[in-house]
Amino acid sequence: QLQLQESGPGLVKPSETLSLTCTVSGGSVTSSGYYWGWIRQPPGEGLESIGTIYYSGGTYYNPSLKSRVTISVDTSKNQFSLKVTSVAAADTAVYYCARYPQWISQPSWGQGTLVTVSS
Amino acid sequence: EIVLTQSPGTLSLSPGERATLSCRATQSVSTTYLAWYQQKPGQAPRLLIYGASSRATGIPDRFSGSGSGTDFTLTISRLEPEDFAVYYCQQYGNSPGTFGQGTKLEIK
């Protein structure tokens, strides 16, 4: 059974870089027919797509975050990662990783991890 | 970017009633990539519907999804007390995907 688990620091200082990893078990990041993504939710607010990555290497980012975001895949560890540079308080959120199928099948999400930006 | 607009923002109903939630897109969305989620306070979103009309594993049959093109609907046939929550639609066919702003379903 597929499981996704987010990990990384829960506290990041303003202007620094937020780095999160999503570890995939019960499946492979190299599987064809799937792509991978990050979503976030600030406290008390709605859901926001951050970006997606295809195994082929193609990445797509939310235009509002594009200049600060990088998503990458580490096939040796069966993980994919998120980096957000120059963070501010507005980047405080629960961050989720997800797997999306390229046909009619269920998307899968991790349980999420809270990242707080504060000095 | 495809913008999804959910209506109403808040829906006040009683247990046993029927709920109809709407999700409208600014351009056509493939039904393959349209999902609905339920979220309760302090919890991660729970997948209800994928492919616009397929129920996710373990989801009761009182939840149903329909629609195509730019108009999609989530229907809860008879509300149970545990159904009062926030509901989001999502399209993930046009990367990186987008969410609606949510509909809060509250007890009347």
Side-chain angles (χ1 to χ4, degrees):
Chain A
Q1 182 178 351
L2 180 78
Q3 289 191 324
L4 305 173
Q5 180 66 58
E6 304 89 350
S7 60
L11 180 64
V12 181
K13 290 182 169 54
S15 80
E16 296 190 343
T17 296
L18 178 161
S19 296
L20 295 174
T21 296
C22 182
T23 299
V24 179
S25 57
S28 172
V29 294
T30 62
S31 296
S32 62
Y34 296 99
Y35 55 102
W36 310 86
W38 288 94
I39 302 123
R40 70 180 185 179
Q41 184 173 36
E45 299 185 24
L47 298 162
E48 178 182 42
S49 292
I50 301 171
T52 54
I53 186 166
Y54 291 70
Y55 170 58
S56 61
T59 52
Y60 299 83
Y61 300 126
N62 185 321
S64 68
L65 298 167
K66 186 174 183 178
S67 63
R68 299 193 294 126
V69 170
T70 303
I71 296 175
S72 59
V73 169
D74 186 337
T75 57
S76 67
K77 296 181 179 178
N78 211 33
Q79 298 174 335
F80 62 104
S81 299
L82 170 70
K83 291 188 187 301
V84 182
T85 61
S86 305
V87 297
D91 294 306
T92 293
V94 176
Y95 286 76
Y96 299 96
C97 60
R99 184 186 80 169
Y100 300 110
Q102 290 182 290
W103 66 93
I104 298 180
S105 183
Q106 299 185 168
S108 300
W109 290 38
Q111 281 302 298
T113 187
L114 174 63
V115 179
T116 302
V117 178
S118 175
S119 56
Chain B
E1 176 180 287
I2 297 177
V3 176
L4 300 180
T5 301
Q6 292 185 239
S7 61
T10 302
L11 185 56
S12 300
L13 293 170
S14 300
E17 291 192 294
R18 180 185 185 91
T20 302
L21 287 66
S22 173
C23 176
R24 179 162 290 178
T26 52
Q27 56 186 281
S28 185
V29 173
S30 168
T31 55
T32 299
Y33 305 114
L34 194 287
W36 288 92
Y37 297 85
Q38 176 194 69
Q39 189 176 36
K40 297 179 180 179
Q43 297 183 15
R46 174 194 185 196
L47 177 67
L48 299 174
I49 300 290
Y50 64 97
S53 60
S54 297
R55 271 187 301 277
T57 304
I59 301 303
D61 60 7
R62 64 180 182 274
F63 291 91
S64 63
S66 63
S68 64
T70 59
D71 290 299
F72 297 90
T73 300
L74 174 70
T75 301
I76 311 171
S77 59
R78 285 180 56 87
L79 286 166
E80 298 287 343
E82 62 268 26
D83 298 337
F84 292 90
V86 178
Y87 292 83
Y88 295 95
C89 59
Q90 179 200 25
Q91 70 79 21
Y92 51 94
N94 183 281
S95 285
T98 48
F99 291 89
Q101 82 281 16
T103 290
K104 182 179 181 180
L105 179 55
E106 64 176 25
I107 299 177
K108 186 174 182 179

